[in-house]
Amino acid sequence: VVDGEPAAGRRTIAVEFEDQKVHENFVGHDLHLVRLDEGVDPAVLAAWMDWSRPDGLQTPAPAEFLGGVQEMPAGSVGYFTVELTPGKYAWISEVTAPDQKGMLRIFTVPGEETR
């Protein structure tokens, strides 16, 4: 759940872990912020996030990762700071099939893109 509308500028993001469970790839869920530049396929990004696939988490990444919080126990809160510019972004978790679990959310920071 995202509280508020995304806006350009320096932002500190609070990530609240309401729950936690071990997924098929033996890790709990986490949260990463990714910039989706032109040509980035969200389905390719979702598949890449699964370390148990032969091509999972291999460099180069299919998108630019800007920050995030690794898995934490339920009830924990983690923070990270990022400079957002206008453009397309996604929240994504390092789990198997995040796009099918509601753990891939695409959003846009409004304004004129400079990239």
Side-chain angles (χ1 to χ4, degrees):
V1 176
V2 176
D3 184 18
E5 295 295 319
R10 186 176 177 86
R11 304 284 176 233
T12 297
I13 310 295
V15 180
E16 298 177 9
F17 286 83
E18 289 183 7
D19 60 16
Q20 187 57 272
K21 73 175 205 169
V22 176
H23 292 267
E24 299 92 338
N25 59 351
F26 307 108
V27 298
H29 48 269
D30 51 13
L31 184 77
H32 301 278
L33 177 62
V34 182
R35 183 168 175 96
L36 299 177
D37 288 329
E38 185 77 27
V40 174
D41 182 348
V44 170
L45 175 64
W48 184 85
M49 290 298 290
D50 182 359
W51 70 265
S52 66
R53 295 171 47 98
D55 58 349
L57 297 179
Q58 298 294 313
T59 56
E64 180 183 4
F65 283 76
L66 303 174
V69 176
Q70 281 301 105
E71 60 189 89
M72 298 177 79
S76 299
V77 180
Y79 299 89
F80 68 98
T81 300
V82 64
E83 184 75 32
L84 293 177
T85 58
K88 191 173 174 183
Y89 294 84
W91 299 112
I92 191 166
S93 183
E94 183 188 337
V95 299
T96 302
D99 50 343
Q100 297 171 20
K101 294 177 179 171
M103 295 184 179
L104 170 62
R105 299 278 187 120
I106 297 171
F107 67 96
T108 301
V109 172
E112 191 171 323
E113 287 192 48
T114 57
R115 294 180 89 166

